[in-house]
Amino acid sequence: MAEQKENLQMEKIVSLCKRRGFIFQSSEIYGGINGFWDYGPLGAELKRNVKELWWHTMTRQRDDVAGLEATIIMSPQIWKASGHVDTFADLMRECPLTKKRVRADQVEPQSGIVYSYTGANSTLTDNEIVNFRADLKNVLANLQGDDNVKTLAMAAEDLLYGPLNVGKIRSYLQEWQDKWVGSPSLIKYLEEFAGKHEGHYSSDSFAVLIPTGKPPESAQKIAQEFYRQQRVRNPELLGEEKKKVDNSIDFHPESGVGLTEARPFNLMFKTYVGPVESEDNVAYLRPETAQAIFAQFKNVLETSRQKVPFGIGQIGKAFRNEVTPRNYTFRSREFEQMELEFFIKPDEAVEAIHGSVATVPETGHPGEPQPNWGWQAWHQYWVEERVRFYEGIGLARETLGFHRQTAEELAHYARACVDILFKFPFSKKDEQGNVAGDELEGIAARSDFDLSQHQRFSGKPMGVFDDELRAAWAKLPKEKQDDLWRRFYENRKKYLTKMARPDETPEQIQKQATEDANGLAKGQYIPHVIEPSAGVDRLILALIANAYSEATTTDAKGKSETIFTMKFHPRVAPIKVGVLPLLKNKPDLVKKAIEVRDLLRPWMNVYYDDGGSIGKRYARQDEAGTPFCVTIDFDTLGEKPELLDTVTIRYRDDGRQERLKISELRDFLLSKIR
Ligand code: GAP
């Protein structure tokens, strides 16, 4: 019941999004395309505001982050180095009949009766048998010759009675063909018929689950369809067995057919660069924006005059051929990411410079960045900074959830990852009825893995030189140097061993790890990285779900009406202010309203509306989520002299109205929307 209510909530949201022009199905006039969505006029504004705010908060407002805008298609080597070509895959199971795939970990349990078969034989149809026998009789009647021919004809009469299949004709031919070269017409007829009607035998097993109570014929029909696809003509099913199953996850939820074993399926969209579609020209649509940041790390470092610790932020499209796009825009095949790669010193370098690495509590904001922060403090800092960002655009902390990945869930190179979740209407409840939420953003501590991989694959150095470290190292006591050297060496060796090429020997790995640790002593290292990676579209969906509110009122005559309001935070609201002349047929009111519109327009998205009653116009803006409406009335024109050049400002969320001078309007609104 509860789930139904939540689905209903999603249905209402989807319907409002379409009706008010937030989100449309891509290619809708052609029936849509699964996993792709378009943003309509209000959605486009909302999205733009969200991206602007992220960019502003993460780059322009900070001294230690630079921006990047890289291409979607990059050298395929990038995806080799990052591991996406080899490992960016979901484990999938396939319906052998419809070829539809499902994620192995997302098969809904099903119960019913399973019919299984060990294979199928080709058989002749009744019609084919009747026609064959009629023709055979003719051939036999026209046979002429000696006793041998008669014997042959008598033997062939066997084919006129009893069960018949191509196998039986073949056995006859095998037995008689060589002996009766004198009767070509019969042999020729049988050979031609067998050749034409030859089918295939299939020994592939097949199983299908049908609901209890359905007749076995429905299972047989599905099985025959499967064997027909295997080129078995008119299949005769073999070895039928029947079994009751409960809550099995081995059958396709739509077809009921037994699923194949799980196999990896790469999620990257492939294309070809240039006119030749060969393996040499394969390229991929990026599945994340992050890798471009790593690939351009050195260029940005050199041109932005930044020093570690610093970050590079990027917003852009990403593409994943998700097997089961679902929950509206939540899991799409084309989406946008807002990613920051924040490069930090390895802990050994921090310790060498500052004597120790600061420890901070695992929860709460650790405060302003400090020079003695290691990866753990930076990671905690970014988790809390990102939560602040969400709070700042209207997602209160209680609408969010957190998931700290367990050791089993973490990638082998990652030290920690915290997912920030949002409690969507479709988010599942646990047994106690609590909703954890679904992922909005992941904040990962990725060690030096990414830059190290690009260094190895490109052959270009990705390390930095840190003169503070070099100077500090020289002053360290020998034991401290040895201790730090050993720890750094072990970390590098661990990484190099894990990612070793098949031809790399342990000696080569040790040599490389030694060189890396010697480098540290000279002030060189590959920076580590903290990665806050957010999805724009998921955030848009969260903001829409969070803003959606409805209220039903019943008037004195018992007529009820439901009013929808999108309570967006003014910072993200698609339209910031509606400008409404009280009456559209009063030129002075209209002229003044247009003046107000033009006064505000350079600063924010303004919607001028003079159509319909003022109540209707407010309601329209409420549905669009416009936080403020400004009405120009006769007092604005000086009907009451003390109110000359003032307007009424109406607040969306409580309908409150107050009077404000036009000269103060712009600054007032800016203070609310920034
Ligand atoms: N560079 C790290 C990375 O890409 P991810 O967890 O795969 O990590 C980061 O993706 C964010 O991108 C997710 O938290 C989510 O918000 C968004 N995202 C990922 N796949 C998505 C999809 N299929 N549809 C919409 N958003 C997606």
Side-chain angles (χ1 to χ4, degrees), residues 11-281:
E11 273 172 35
K12 287 180 185 172
I13 289 173
V14 172
S15 146
L16 181 115
C17 280
K18 170 152 179 158
R19 183 158 44 84
R20 285 312 317 254
F22 282 98
I23 301 173
F24 305 128
Q25 206 183 6
S26 163
S27 325
E28 195 188 273
I29 57 167
Y30 292 101
I33 168 165
N34 201 5
F36 297 85
W37 300 95
D38 293 340
Y39 289 84
L42 292 179
E45 287 290 340
L46 179 62
K47 208 171 178 196
R48 196 167 275 267
N49 291 344
V50 163
K51 290 192 285 183
E52 280 281 320
L53 280 165
W54 186 94
W55 189 258
H56 202 66
T57 313
M58 302 294 270
T59 68
R60 289 189 190 152
Q61 299 259 53
R62 302 185 63 105
D63 289 332
D64 56 359
V65 177
L68 179 73
E69 178 138 349
T71 58
I72 285 170
I73 292 179
M74 298 183 277
S75 162
Q77 283 303 312
I78 286 186
W79 308 111
K80 266 267 170 212
S82 68
H84 283 81
V85 169
D86 297 326
T87 59
F88 190 56
D90 275 345
L91 277 181
M92 304 296 304
R93 301 181 73 184
E94 192 175 272
C95 164
L97 178 67
T98 60
K99 308 292 177 231
K100 284 192 181 167
R101 290 175 177 154
V102 274
R103 259 174 62 170
D105 59 349
Q106 286 176 359
V107 188
E108 291 290 327
Q110 293 179 83
S111 305
I113 308 292
V114 175
Y115 285 83
S116 53
Y117 303 92
T118 53
N121 252 337
S122 276
T123 60
L124 296 169
T125 64
D126 289 347
N127 243 353
E128 284 168 345
I129 293 175
V130 169
N131 291 340
F132 167 78
R133 284 180 169 156
D135 290 346
L136 179 61
K137 274 184 194 158
N138 273 338
V139 174
L140 292 177
N142 292 328
L143 276 186
Q144 290 185 355
D146 55 16
D147 285 352
N148 286 342
V149 173
K150 280 185 197 137
T151 314
L152 170 71
M154 272 167 68
E157 276 177 16
D158 218 26
L159 299 173
L160 293 172
Y161 310 100
L164 181 74
N165 54 40
V166 174
K168 194 168 168 185
I169 300 171
R170 281 273 174 231
S171 336
Y172 173 88
L173 283 169
Q174 222 171 4
E175 197 177 338
W176 298 95
Q177 190 167 22
D178 297 340
K179 298 178 191 157
W180 303 104
V181 283
S183 296
S185 61
L186 174 64
I187 301 299
K188 192 163 167 248
Y189 171 66
L190 294 178
E191 266 205 321
E192 270 180 16
F193 183 86
K196 205 158 117 203
H197 293 84
E198 201 86 69
H200 286 262
Y201 163 77
S202 168
S203 60
D204 287 356
S205 54
F206 180 82
V208 57
L209 180 143
I210 58 169
T212 313
K214 255 192 151 185
E217 288 76 29
S218 57
Q220 288 157 2
K221 244 170 104 178
I222 297 171
Q224 278 168 333
E225 200 184 325
F226 166 75
Y227 286 112
R228 244 179 254 120
Q229 279 185 5
Q230 311 268 93
R231 297 196 297 134
V232 177
R233 293 185 71 253
N234 197 25
E236 174 196 12
L237 301 171
L238 303 173
E240 180 178 280
E241 278 187 12
K242 181 178 159 187
K243 196 169 102 190
K244 188 170 176 328
V245 297
D246 284 316
N247 291 322
S248 170
I249 50 162
D250 288 328
F251 297 89
H252 196 281
E254 285 168 22
S255 63
V257 172
L259 292 162
T260 58
E261 290 296 308
R263 280 193 293 265
F265 169 77
N266 196 295
L267 299 183
M268 283 196 294
F269 280 101
K270 234 184 197 184
T271 187
Y272 299 92
V273 173
V276 184
E277 292 195 5
S278 72
E279 274 307 297
D280 290 345
N281 297 330

Side-chain angles (χ1 to χ4, degrees), residues 288 320 322 330 332 335 337 339 439-440 531 533 535:
E288 60 170 26
R320 296 182 190 178
E322 297 284 359
F330 182 83
S332 310
F335 55 97
Q337 289 186 315
E339 296 199 292
E439 183 186 329
L440 269 188
E531 177 192 72
S533 167

